[in-house]
């Protein structure tokens, strides 16, 4: 008979059952952790991949049971206690326990990875027909609504999720309008210059994009029928999708003693302060040494890397933990195009260094001082990955351009 893995007496508890928790679990067992592991999560599902929720699952080309990362057997074999449908409501640091569904769960080390939830509509209304995207159930509701006749879809916010929903709506042939408060789509993520360029992708595929405008009033009988915009325009609407960003899930930690701001305030090692308590993923606010500033990332790669990093810090012990440095990499799939970005959009200069927007294939470099600080690619994955490595090494601008020149020869 196989000897149990968890013969040790210690216990790591993870609150939040998403990507960060899974990667932390995998890395702990890979690193020889022989204590017990528990994942406490509010959702009834095993950890699953969220990016398809605004892409394939919304389109209907994949189903929710196809986006699970691992099946039951993985958690059994790795001796992970799954507490599904368990919402943590309190952290008791002194007692070293978390309260979930009214029961205390004791830990030696704790990883808080409760993610982020979509911000609500900034206008008060109790009408039906308003959707957001954060979990499987949200996507299934929106998908059903989009299949019900030929609804007119309006999306508030032209960030990544808003743009991906617009892309799905257009490929289903639906009349689609994006209402965006900022002056360009993706402005916060890729900066105004590249945001302006990428806005043409919406027009290419027949989605109407309105910028510098928001929703002033929503009207309808029982469900949304019309929107009054802040510029005075009235637009008909059957489905309103709210894509105005996410807020970290930290409400349950109020009064716990942890420092909270725009996320759980961590040091560079992702420690939330008290020994053995860490945060990772969308919920963590930490000083990223690569950019010399504190940040919170709502991106898949960041959650995976931070989850793994916390596992290594737990294995090393509190005194030997090391800083986490992330390159802020993300991707988005819109209208059949892949957009990728790494680094920081806060630049002195942005230059297209390869290809052209007209060919819908290009690479742009972002310069801060004499350093390559960021890179954006449209349908140009290979060179983006090279730039990502250079950004991580703080490569100077001239050397980065020279290296790219060599690649193209
Ligand atoms: C629709 C959508 C599309 C996306 N597309 C992309 C993309 O194309 N590219 C990209 O880079 N990133 C994308 N992302 C972002 C990426 O999926 C996230 O950054 C990543 O999932 C974060 O992982 P996490 O482990 O921090 O949190 P999550 O995966 O959000 O998991 C957090 C878990 O904690 C649970 N939880 C919350 N509060 C509690 C509590 N009190 N007690 C117990 N459990 C709790 C939640 O229910 C959830 O299950 C997308 C996200 C969404 C929602």
């Amino acid at each position: 008979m196989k000897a149990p893995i968890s013969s040790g007496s210690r216990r790591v508890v993870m609150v939040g059952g998403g990507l960060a928790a899974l990667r932390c679990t995998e890395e702990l067992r890979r690193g020889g952790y022989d204590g017990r592991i528990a994942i406490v999560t509010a959702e009834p599902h095993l950890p699953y991949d969220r990016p398809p929720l605004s892409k394939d699952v919304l389109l209907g080309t994949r189903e929710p049971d196809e986006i699970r990362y691992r099946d039951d057997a993985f958690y059994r074999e790795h001796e992970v206690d799954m507490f599904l449908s368990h919402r943590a409501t309190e952290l008791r640091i002194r007692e070293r326990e978390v309260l979930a569904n009214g029961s205390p769960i004791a830990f030696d080390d704790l990883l808080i990875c409760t993610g982020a939830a979509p911000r609500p509509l900034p206008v008060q209304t109790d009408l039906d027909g308003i959707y957001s995207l954060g979990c499987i159930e949200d996507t299934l509701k929106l998908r059903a609504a989009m299949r019900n006749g030929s609804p007119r879809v309006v999306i508030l916010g032209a960030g990544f999720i808003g743009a991906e929903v617009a892309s799905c709506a257009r490929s289903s042939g639906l009349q689609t309008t994006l209402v965006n408060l900022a002056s360009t789509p993706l402005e916060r993520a890729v900066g105004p210059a590249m945001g302006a360029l990428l806005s043409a992708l919406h027009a290419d595929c027949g989605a109407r994009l309105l910028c510098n405008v928001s929703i002033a009033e929503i009207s309808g009988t029982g469900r949304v029928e019309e929107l009054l915009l802040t510029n005075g325009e009235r637009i008909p609407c059957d489905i309103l999708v709210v894509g105005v960003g996410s807020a970290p899930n930290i409400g349950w930690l109020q009064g716990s003693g942890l420092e909270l701001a725009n996320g759980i305030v961590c040091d560079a090692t992702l420690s939330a302060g008290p020994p053995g308590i860490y945060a990772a993923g969308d919920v963590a606010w930490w000083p990223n040494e690569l950019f010399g500033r504190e940040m919170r990332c709502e991106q898949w790669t960041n959650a995976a890397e931070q989850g793994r990093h916390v596992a290594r810090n737990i294995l090393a012990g509190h005194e030997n933990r090391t800083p986490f440095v992330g390159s802020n990499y993300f991707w988005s799939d819109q209208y059949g195009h892949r957009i990728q970005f790494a680094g920081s959009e806060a630049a002195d200069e942005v230059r297209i260094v390869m290809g052209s927007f007209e060919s819908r294939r290009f690479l742009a470099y972002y310069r801060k001082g004499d350093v390559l600080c960021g890179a954006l690619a449209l349908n140009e994955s290979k060179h983006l990955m090279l730039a990502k490595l250079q950004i991580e090494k703080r490569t100077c601008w001239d050397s980065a351009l020279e290296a790219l020149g060599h690649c193209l020869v």
Side-chain angles (χ1 to χ4, degrees):
M1 208 173 100
K2 218 173 108 200
I5 306 172
S6 44
S7 52
S9 58
R10 292 185 68 81
R11 187 192 214 188
V12 175
V13 171
M14 294 169 215
V15 179
L19 178 62
L22 175 66
R23 291 293 181 260
C24 183
T25 300
E26 291 167 343
E27 191 68 13
L28 282 171
R29 289 300 188 218
R30 199 176 297 130
Y33 181 74
D34 67 357
R36 286 151 55 202
I37 297 177
I39 296 180
V40 178
T41 187
E43 290 188 81
H45 313 287
L46 291 174
Y48 62 88
D49 201 17
R50 273 171 223 275
L53 294 180
S54 51
K55 306 173 184 70
D56 323 21
V57 180
L58 186 57
L59 268 179
T61 53
R62 267 166 102 192
E63 292 303 319
D65 58 5
E66 297 174 88
I67 61 170
R68 208 180 294 126
Y69 292 116
R70 306 279 201 169
D71 58 16
D72 275 333
F74 170 86
Y75 300 95
R76 253 196 330 274
E77 282 161 19
H78 289 77
E79 296 180 14
V80 181
D81 300 323
M82 295 300 298
F83 291 82
L84 300 181
S85 304
H86 273 67
R87 181 171 290 279
T89 48
E90 196 180 331
L91 165 63
R92 297 170 175 163
I93 296 176
R94 210 158 24 105
E95 291 81 359
R96 295 195 86 71
E97 64 186 27
V98 164
L99 206 66
N101 289 10
S103 300
I105 300 173
F107 63 83
D108 294 289
D109 295 286
L110 175 71
L111 170 59
I112 304 170
C113 45
T114 41
R119 288 186 198 277
L121 183 68
V123 183
Q124 276 294 89
T125 179
D126 51 10
L127 295 176
D128 287 342
I130 300 173
Y131 301 84
S132 56
L133 276 192
C135 60
I136 287 177
E137 289 72 16
D138 290 347
T139 296
L140 293 182
K141 277 188 217 150
L142 177 59
R143 186 168 94 176
M146 280 170 51
R147 287 174 175 179
N148 186 9
S150 294
R152 290 155 302 184
V153 179
V154 178
I155 299 148
L156 180 64
F160 286 111
I161 291 188
E164 290 181 353
V165 172
S167 163
C168 292
R170 284 305 302 141
S171 44
S172 308
L174 305 179
Q175 183 184 311
T176 307
T177 308
L178 288 127
V179 174
N180 193 36
L181 189 54
S183 54
T184 75
L186 309 175
E187 189 168 298
R188 263 188 327 130
V190 303
M194 289 295 122
L197 207 59
L198 294 172
S199 64
L201 299 181
H202 296 290
D204 284 355
C205 294
R208 184 169 179 233
L209 172 68
L210 306 172
C211 290
N212 298 310
V213 68
S214 188
I215 295 174
E217 240 176 72
I218 302 172
S219 52
T221 313
R223 49 180 306 119
V224 55
E225 289 166 10
E226 189 183 71
L227 307 175
L228 171 65
L229 304 186
T230 48
N231 63 4
E233 188 181 348
R234 288 183 184 277
I235 46 177
C237 171
D238 304 303
I239 290 179
L240 174 59
V241 183
V242 186
V244 290
S246 302
N249 289 322
I250 51 175
W252 67 284
L253 293 166
Q254 298 291 345
S256 66
L258 291 189
E259 194 184 343
L260 306 174
N262 178 20
I264 299 169
V265 178
C266 296
D267 69 12
T269 70
L270 302 175
S271 162
I277 300 186
Y278 296 90
D282 287 9
V283 80
W285 171 259
W286 94 110
N288 189 349
E289 289 172 4
L290 185 60
F291 306 125
R293 63 180 160 101
E294 294 179 309
M295 58 197 291
R296 192 170 67 79
C297 278
E298 291 173 7
Q299 283 112 27
W300 195 94
T301 305
N302 179 71
E305 290 177 350
Q306 288 194 338
R308 267 189 227 115
H309 193 85
V310 167
R312 288 185 211 120
N313 278 344
I314 291 173
L315 290 166
H318 193 73
E319 300 308 318
N320 301 314
R321 63 198 202 278
T322 56
F324 174 80
V325 179
S327 64
N328 189 36
Y329 166 78
F330 55 85
W331 80 93
S332 173
D333 296 327
Q334 303 172 16
Y335 307 108
H337 302 290
R338 170 148 288 200
I339 297 171
Q340 290 163 293
F341 185 87
S344 165
E345 85 302 342
D348 300 324
E349 178 191 351
V350 184
R351 194 191 292 178
I352 293 189
V353 291
M354 184 186 212
S356 66
F357 181 70
E358 291 65 39
S359 65
R360 300 295 185 261
R361 183 177 183 142
F362 74 88
L363 178 69
Y365 275 5
Y366 292 57
R367 177 182 64 77
K368 183 85 185 161
D370 62 355
V371 170
L372 175 72
C373 70
L376 168 77
L378 179 67
N379 300 320
E380 195 50 82
S381 290
K382 189 173 130 210
H383 291 96
L384 190 278
M385 287 306 168
L386 170 76
K388 177 175 177 287
L389 293 176
Q390 290 174 323
I391 292 162
E392 285 161 3
K393 289 190 208 147
R394 298 181 174 88
T395 306
C396 83
W397 177 252
D398 290 341
S399 311
L401 289 177
E402 202 186 325
L404 184 67
H406 288 309
C407 277
L408 298 178
V409 173

